[in-house]
Amino acid sequence: MMKRKLRWGALALAVATLAGCATTENALKDANALLQEREADKLLPVTNLSPYALALGRFGRMLDIYKAGDPVIYMQTRSILDATNLSSPLAGAEIPGDITEMVRTAVNRIGARVVYVPYHPDYLVSQAQLGAKFGVTMPDFLITGALTEFDRAIAGAGRVNSAGIEFGKGDGKVTLGGDIKRTAIYSALALDLNLVSFSTQQMVPQIQASNVVKVLNFSSEDNASLGFYGDAFGFKLEGKYLQGRHSAIRTLVDLSVLELIGKATNTPYWRCIPNGKPDPVVVENMRAAYNGLTPELKLGLIQVTLRKYGESVQVTQKYDAETQQALEKVYAQRYAALGSVDVMTWQGFEPLFFGVPMVWDVAQAPAQAPVPKGGSQAPAASAAGEKAGA
């Protein structure tokens, strides 16, 4: 008899506890707390920055250093759409169907040396009919591309931990149980971008970006139960974390635009990204360009590069004492581990070129105005060499 009273007493206490948690008053209290939290932290407008948005700004300041005196590059895009057809309402509209505006925003983040040229012919025609007059800027390059992959559940992992205990017999039988379940599923989104020369309408060889981002779908489930000889109660907690696909695509766009224009300008754009790795396309392009220069142009480029290190050498295209002293100083301070090198070879010049100091502080970045459109779009090494020989 005593056992039965204890059993029903414990069960009543548990039910009362659960019922108390589910009262209307408590529910309203929790709802108000959640609303206040969202109003304080979540509903205020914030800058929409991807992890690579700041890298695009750094890249713009890198161009101020590497491309000082070079013409502005004018860019335009064709429509960058979804090629997987998963943006269709019939497929659930799982991803955006048009990301052209994201690409435009990424290009415009770079700065004054890479200028985006909008293409809105209907608007211009309408304004022209009202008497407006426009100047026309022709782009140097077009960006083409599409969202090319969306693979659901390319990888997944799950784990379930369960435990149970049972004691007593007959009316005094008690069972305790619980389990913890965790599931993680990855999906993948891919974006392809290519660069097209506007004047020739040909793709620029090897200047493309093809990147993939993984999106995590994580769920958790916790269960517990307590039973007294057939009468039982329990609770269940569930949680789910799903990374936003639109936000993941913006990250993908910012990274891909950085890579595309970094390759097009032959600059070490990977230095703008934490733990970035050298791009073999840029390294090979610069190696071929440097090896194709005459000794005089090589010396001119070396002197121009030394000036970017803060050395006050004159661009004479001659291996004078001033140039020799500046080289010895820079290599001793920064590249002493390389030992003796010949800067007239690419192996000796490569660390000097790719290691130019970068000042990411906007206030201290070189304030050199870009050259208006009209100059030639020469490779980085050739342009610097020609400037040195002027």
Side-chain angles (χ1 to χ4, degrees):
M1 185 68 177
M2 182 62 67
K3 292 182 178 178
R4 181 172 297 178
K5 289 181 178 180
L6 290 174
R7 174 169 65 87
W8 285 109
L11 182 58
L13 177 61
V15 172
T17 302
L18 291 176
C21 294
T23 61
T24 303
E25 182 181 356
N26 286 339
L28 290 175
K29 181 179 178 181
D30 292 341
N32 288 331
L34 179 61
L35 180 60
Q36 291 175 4
E37 178 183 349
R38 289 185 60 84
E39 288 178 345
D41 300 329
K42 302 296 183 182
L43 299 182
L44 296 177
V46 296
T47 303
N48 193 2
L49 296 176
S50 81
Y52 293 103
L54 296 178
L56 288 167
R58 294 190 188 105
F59 179 64
R61 295 190 285 278
M62 175 179 283
L63 291 179
D64 288 338
I65 295 174
Y66 274 97
K67 300 298 178 181
D70 281 13
V72 171
I73 298 176
Y74 292 90
M75 309 290 294
Q76 199 172 82
T77 64
R78 293 177 183 165
S79 295
I80 313 296
L81 306 176
D82 165 37
T84 68
N85 203 36
L86 288 173
S87 59
S88 169
L90 297 177
E94 299 185 55
I95 56 177
D98 189 339
I99 61 170
T100 309
E101 203 62 37
M102 289 188 185
V103 175
R104 291 171 179 161
T105 300
V107 172
N108 203 39
R109 287 190 195 279
I110 295 173
R113 295 190 181 276
V114 180
V115 176
Y116 186 83
V117 180
Y119 178 66
H120 301 297
D122 294 341
Y123 170 80
L124 294 178
V125 169
S126 299
Q127 292 296 320
Q129 291 174 348
L130 297 176
K133 298 184 182 297
F134 302 98
V136 178
T137 300
M138 304 306 292
D140 299 301
F141 299 104
L142 295 176
I143 298 177
T144 66
L147 288 168
T148 53
E149 298 177 24
F150 179 31
D151 296 322
R152 296 189 195 88
I154 59 171
R159 181 175 181 177
V160 178
N161 294 329
S162 299
I165 186 172
E166 180 178 314
F167 56 89
K169 295 181 179 180
D171 292 348
K173 181 179 179 181
V174 178
T175 59
L176 298 171
D179 60 81
I180 299 174
K181 182 179 180 181
R182 301 290 184 265
T183 305
I185 300 175
Y186 280 103
S187 299
L189 288 160
L191 172 66
D192 286 30
L193 294 180
N194 284 280
L195 202 66
V196 176
S197 170
F198 184 81
S199 59
T200 65
Q201 287 297 299
Q202 296 177 349
M203 282 192 176
V204 183
Q206 293 189 313
I207 306 301
Q208 78 287 315
S210 181
N211 294 301
V212 178
V213 63
K214 291 182 179 179
V215 182
L216 173 64
N217 185 345
F218 176 80
S219 62
S220 64
E221 182 178 320
D222 298 334
N223 297 295
S225 62
L226 173 62
F228 299 90
Y229 191 59
D231 299 316
F233 73 91
F235 67 89
K236 181 178 182 181
L237 300 176
E238 292 185 0
K240 190 171 185 181
Y241 173 74
L242 176 63
Q243 289 180 317
R245 293 172 186 150
H246 290 62
S247 179
I249 289 173
R250 183 177 294 277
T251 299
L252 198 58
V253 166
D254 287 348
L255 171 62
S256 298
V257 167
L258 175 65
E259 178 184 348
L260 191 74
I261 301 181
K263 287 180 177 179
T265 55
N266 281 330
T267 47
Y269 68 89
W270 56 86
R271 294 180 61 190
C272 303
I273 308 171
N275 302 317
K277 296 181 180 180
D279 190 316
V281 173
V282 176
V283 174
E284 176 58 26
N285 287 345
M286 284 305 307
R287 184 195 65 80
Y290 189 74
N291 289 337
L293 296 176
T294 63
E296 292 78 15
L297 290 179
K298 285 183 179 180
L299 283 169
L301 179 56
I302 290 169
Q303 291 166 335
V304 168
T305 307
L306 286 172
R307 292 175 66 88
K308 300 182 190 301
Y309 281 80
E311 299 299 321
S312 58
V313 298
Q314 300 299 315
V315 183
T316 62
Q317 297 189 358
K318 297 179 180 179
Y319 192 63
D320 49 32
E322 187 181 46
T323 301
Q324 181 180 358
Q325 292 174 1
L327 280 172
E328 291 176 353
K329 175 183 174 182
V330 170
Y331 274 82
Q333 290 179 346
R334 296 176 176 269
Y335 313 112
L338 299 177
S340 178
V341 297
D342 181 5
V343 292
M344 297 299 287
T345 65
W346 171 246
Q347 289 76 13
F349 177 69
E350 180 180 6
L352 185 71
F353 180 78
F354 287 137
V356 169
M358 293 290 115
V359 181
W360 301 126
D361 185 358
V362 179
Q364 299 180 11
Q368 298 168 324
V371 177
K373 185 175 181 181
S376 61
Q377 299 292 325
S382 301
E386 288 168 1
K387 187 177 72 171

